[in-house]
Amino acid sequence: MEIIIKVNGRRIAEQIEPDLLLIDFLRKHGCYSVKRGCETANCGLCTVLMDNTPVLSCSVLAARADGHEIYTLEGLQEEASEFVGFIADQGADQCGFCNPGFVMNTIALLRENPDPTDDEIRAYLAGNLCRCSGYEGQLRGIRNFLDQRRK
């Protein structure tokens, strides 16, 4: 079957097998920030934005993305660069494996709610698995970014 997906602003038309997962389609097209973790939609490592909504690409067929716009971290570097340093300053990127999922969900959160409470941040990031930092560093980093932005 043929699908057409706009990935990071670039139109891609391709013949695919009906059971191809979106994560595999994206990685085939150079989006290596989209990581394979649990493959059960529980870790958030494969988070992408589909029409500006975070989705887990390991649980979405590429055929479902036909006609949609997908953004990965590769396409959102400028927006991500605004706050990733604040997260790094908190030591919240120890191994870095979970960072793309956290960054993608933080971008979606801040687009939806530019001034979230700590509880809203925690709720939005709850689906991201991090084995190193305990999540408090990410929360402090996002909070510091928001505080700095207000000044």
Side-chain angles (χ1 to χ4, degrees):
M1 73 183 317
E2 182 177 33
I3 61 170
I4 300 171
I5 303 175
K6 193 171 186 182
V7 177
N8 297 326
R10 182 175 59 110
R11 183 182 180 275
I12 300 172
E14 186 172 310
Q15 286 291 129
I16 64 161
E17 293 297 319
D19 62 347
L20 180 69
L21 291 172
L22 182 57
I23 187 173
D24 296 319
F25 178 86
L26 294 169
R27 289 185 62 83
K28 177 183 175 189
H29 291 281
C31 300
Y32 300 118
S33 69
V34 184
K35 297 180 181 174
R36 188 177 303 285
C38 66
E39 296 191 70
T40 60
N42 286 307
C43 71
L45 296 177
C46 65
T47 301
V48 298
L49 300 183
M50 182 160 60
D51 300 331
N52 292 314
T53 300
V55 298
L56 300 171
S57 62
C58 76
S59 62
V60 174
L61 292 172
R64 294 280 317 247
D66 183 28
H68 293 276
E69 185 170 28
I70 304 293
Y71 271 93
T72 69
L73 191 53
E74 286 84 359
L76 298 172
Q77 288 296 305
E78 187 174 322
E79 192 170 353
S81 69
E82 295 177 6
F83 65 86
V84 293
F86 287 88
I87 293 173
D89 287 346
Q90 297 299 315
D93 61 347
Q94 291 176 23
C95 81
F97 197 67
C98 66
N99 284 1
F102 272 110
V103 171
M104 293 302 292
N105 278 304
T106 300
I107 287 171
L109 166 66
L110 297 177
R111 285 178 175 182
E112 183 179 314
N113 182 355
D115 193 24
T117 66
D118 287 358
D119 285 340
E120 290 169 327
I121 295 169
R122 281 187 196 98
Y124 219 90
L125 301 181
N128 288 273
L129 177 64
C130 177
R131 294 183 175 148
C132 299
S133 71
Y135 306 98
E136 289 305 309
Q138 286 92 345
L139 174 63
R140 283 191 312 269
I142 294 166
R143 176 58 47 215
N144 288 346
F145 167 71
L146 293 171
D147 292 345
Q148 181 70 29
R149 190 169 69 177
R150 268 192 233 111
K151 293 179 182 178

